[in-house]
Amino acid sequence: MVPSKGNRVRSTMGGELSEGKDRHTELGLKEEDLVDMYRYMLTARFCDERQWALNRQGKAPFVVPVSGHEGAQVGSAWAFEKGKDVFCPYYRDLALVLVAGLTPAEVFMGLFGKAADPSSGGRQMPAHWGSRARNIITGSSPIATQVLHAAGIALAKKIKKSDAIVGTWFGEGGTSEGDWHGAMNMAGIHQLPLVLVCENNQYAISVHESKQVAGRVFRRAEGYGMPGIEGDGNDVLESYRLTKEAVDRARSGGGPSLIELRTYRFYSHTSDDDDRTYRSKEEVEAAKKKDPIPAFERYLSSVEVLDEHRIAEIREEVKTAVAEGVKAAEEADFPDPATAMNNVYADLPGEVE
Ligand SMILES: Cc1ncc(C[n+]2csc(CCOP(=O)(O)OP(=O)(O)O)c2C)c(N)n1
Ligand SMILES: [Mg+2]
């Protein structure tokens, strides 16, 4: 179904994947795709748990948790073509960059600031992933700047008549930024091959959505001449379906789309935040009942793709792969101090008096 401009398309799942109904075949997804999607969701979750523990052990300076967002990220990322399309993520997109091609070892290289970090050789802030080989554009820290980068890259793709498209991801807080509105405006005017995905987790650090957006995020699309679509981000298949429609539209010259995927983050904003100061334990517990991972496990069981035994095996396999990634990154070298000024100055400045 292709929504008309500004139309609302509602997910019918309400945080629960419908069971016993083969939705994935209708979406053109094979059983192998489903198992891979599940593995990526688990990989992100286990990386998150490890990085949080490493932070508390004093081994990782700064961590941005993904837990809760895995359905929205894996589902939306799955709609793009790896090796061709361009990914402009934000700091919460750990599951997304894994789908785009980063390995757990590379993620932890970045976290520890090791030389083999593909984002920057250990120079970027953690969670600002990038990889030239995978078309992942490392972001700037001011929120929503990646949306402008994405619009610029999409304009270049259009001018060059490339059939590659661009995806960009951001939180609902990011949609208050001037950069976001500028990018939306350019995308609409030039009908850019761009898919904009909002992971609405209801908070921008401590600021609730009700103090951030007077209306609804997806409705903002209408003002910029593009379809605005809302869906359940805890439902990985729904996230895929809505994004795939937008990707197909963008690739066939139909212009940009804004997709709002509603979800929740289970931990604090970052390792430097304490969410107990602005939301209740009960609210967090209620949100965890809609955890996208057990919801997908129930779906996989109901369509007989995975049984309980196989789920337990895959969980162990993924946990081991993540632990190996952590170990490889822990053992890797830090950058040579002599390279500290590489890519900073064309000519090294003289000594400062
Ligand atoms: C321009 C700018 N203002 C403020 C900040 C501080 N800041 C970092 S993340 C963040 C919250 C963003 O929330 P949202 O876009 O909803 O994404 P979420 O973290 O919830 O996934 C803020 C205010 C910043 N990095 N850049
Ligand atoms: Mg948010």
Side-chain angles (χ1 to χ4, degrees):
M1 169 181 183
V2 177
S4 61
K5 287 190 176 181
N7 254 6
R8 172 178 189 155
V9 178
R10 253 197 168 287
S11 159
T12 50
M13 294 303 126
E16 189 61 41
L17 286 106
S18 64
E19 293 166 28
K21 202 173 121 212
D22 183 347
R23 292 164 59 210
H24 62 272
T25 309
E26 277 171 41
L27 298 174
L29 293 171
K30 299 193 194 71
E31 292 193 3
E32 304 90 86
D33 296 318
L34 298 188
V35 176
D36 283 348
M37 289 168 102
Y38 175 56
R39 279 182 184 276
Y40 279 109
M41 289 169 76
L42 281 182
T43 305
R45 178 66 58 94
F46 293 152
C47 283
D48 210 19
E49 288 171 0
R50 285 300 302 141
Q51 65 175 357
W52 202 258
L54 287 161
N55 173 266
R56 293 321 194 221
Q57 291 165 4
K59 292 182 180 170
F62 178 70
V63 162
V64 186
V66 64
S67 294
H69 284 235
E70 296 92 340
Q73 292 181 17
V74 172
S76 57
W78 213 261
F80 290 82
E81 263 188 60
K82 279 202 234 182
K84 181 198 266 188
D85 297 336
V86 179
F87 299 87
C88 295
Y90 80 121
Y91 49 79
R92 203 164 306 286
D93 284 326
L94 175 56
L96 174 95
V97 296
L98 290 170
V99 174
L102 288 192
T103 65
E106 289 172 325
V107 165
F108 286 99
M109 296 284 180
L111 187 64
F112 297 140
K114 296 296 177 84
D117 156 42
S119 306
S120 66
R123 289 164 172 75
Q124 252 289 29
M125 195 174 177
H128 288 56
W129 307 279
S131 165
R132 186 184 287 265
R134 281 75 163 241
N135 291 341
I136 304 170
I137 310 296
T138 187
S140 296
S141 289
I143 53 177
T145 41
Q146 79 281 6
V147 188
L148 272 184
H149 301 161
I153 297 165
L155 181 59
K157 295 289 180 202
K158 184 166 183 177
I159 290 168
K160 290 185 168 177
K161 298 192 175 11
S162 160
D163 75 335
I165 65 152
V166 183
T168 186
W169 287 257
F170 44 84
E172 81 292 343
T175 71
S176 297
E177 289 293 327
D179 287 3
W180 186 84
H181 289 274
M184 288 289 288
N185 202 32
M186 289 298 283
I189 289 169
H190 296 285
Q191 288 294 290
L192 299 180
L194 179 62
V195 177
L196 303 112
V197 182
C198 176
E199 296 171 40
N200 186 342
N201 59 16
Q202 303 165 45
Y203 289 90
I205 313 185
S206 58
V207 178
H208 189 255
E209 181 188 5
S210 55
K211 300 276 188 295
Q212 186 79 244
V213 188
R216 297 294 312 279
V217 169
F218 76 94
R219 289 196 197 282
R220 291 183 164 175
E222 190 169 7
Y224 295 108
M226 66 178 83
I229 301 130
E230 182 203 28
D232 180 358
N234 296 328
D235 180 340
V236 63
L237 295 181
E238 183 72 345
S239 300
Y240 169 74
R241 184 177 76 79
L242 297 177
T243 314
K244 183 69 167 64
E245 285 173 4
V247 161
D248 290 348
R249 193 157 50 239
R251 208 182 301 283
S252 60
S257 310
L258 171 65
I259 301 168
E260 177 183 357
L261 298 174
R262 297 194 65 84
T263 185
Y264 200 85
R265 73 170 146 74
F266 294 161
Y267 297 131
S268 291
H269 172 68
T270 66
S271 50
D272 292 349
D273 172 45
D274 182 354
D275 66 336
R276 291 172 300 183
T277 61
Y278 56 84
R279 57 184 194 179
S280 69
K281 215 171 148 187
E282 291 72 32
E283 181 186 307
V284 178
E285 288 312 310
K288 283 185 178 168
K289 296 212 169 73
K290 297 180 184 169
D291 187 330
I293 293 180
F296 197 34
E297 285 171 350
R298 288 193 289 275
Y299 176 79
L300 293 169
S301 303
S302 74
V303 291
E304 294 175 6
V305 171
L306 295 179
D307 59 18
E308 227 173 85
H309 175 69
R310 189 69 193 119
I311 283 175
E313 274 178 357
I314 292 176
R315 279 182 164 266
E316 279 316 303
E317 286 164 22
V318 173
K319 222 171 243 179
T320 304
V322 170
E324 283 168 5
V326 174
K327 187 165 182 286
E330 275 184 323
E331 289 170 0
D333 293 330
F334 284 106
D336 181 350
T339 66
M341 293 296 170
N342 285 6
N343 305 320
V344 178
Y345 298 106
D347 299 307
L348 274 184
E351 273 191 26
V352 181
E353 296 287 315

